[in-house]
């Protein structure tokens, strides 16, 4: 279920779109964030990062052409059913505008 607190920060190439989805059955949230490459500096792409001191959970940032699509959840992102299909769809993005 899409939550009500969808947010768009900044303008133009500095825009950051954040969309949280909540799964009531699992009691878990998946947060999808889309932003221009370089907005958060250099970050690893296409590799799962597991939390430590900074956050609990796991995330992956996918190369989407001019944009990066980041998925974050409190669960092990690899264990999410059909998550790989979401990643494949994100890879198909090349260049698009959030305007």
């Amino acid at each position: 279920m899409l939550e009500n607190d969808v947010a768009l920060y900044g303008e133009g190439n500095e825009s950051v779109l954040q969309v949280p989805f909540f799964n009531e059955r699992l009691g878990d949230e998946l947060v999808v964030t889309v932003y221009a490459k370089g907005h958060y500096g250099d970050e690893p792409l296409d590799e799962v990062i597991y939390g430590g001191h900074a956050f609990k959970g796991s995330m992956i940032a996918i190369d989407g052409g001019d944009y990066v699509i980041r998925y974050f959840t409190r669960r092990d992102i690899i264990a999410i059913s059909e998550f790989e299909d979401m990643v494949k769809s994100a890879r198909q993005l090349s260049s698009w505008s959030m305007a």
Side-chain angles (χ1 to χ4, degrees), residues 22-84:
F22 188 74
N23 184 317
E24 291 178 0
R25 185 176 60 78
L26 297 175
D28 190 29
E29 184 176 60
L30 175 68
V31 179
V32 180
T33 308
V34 181
Y35 50 90
K37 272 188 186 170
H39 183 80
Y40 290 113
D42 280 342
E43 66 179 314
L45 298 176
D46 303 326
E47 87 181 57
V48 176
I49 298 171
Y50 292 95
H53 300 296
F55 68 92
K56 301 283 187 208
S58 61
M59 68 178 160
I60 186 169
I62 305 298
D63 186 343
D66 292 340
Y67 292 88
V68 172
I69 301 91
R70 181 191 294 153
Y71 298 91
F72 169 77
T73 180
R74 291 181 298 249
R75 299 175 56 215
D76 180 353
I77 213 159
I78 298 297
I80 297 174
S81 176
E82 300 179 13
F83 181 76
E84 187 176 341

Side-chain angles (χ1 to χ4, degrees), residues 80-98:
I80 297 174
S81 176
E82 300 179 13
F83 181 76
E84 187 176 341
D85 292 336
M86 283 193 286
V87 170
K88 287 178 183 173
S89 68
R91 286 187 199 288
Q92 293 176 4
L93 294 175
S94 57
S95 194
W96 52 280
S97 171
M98 289 190 289

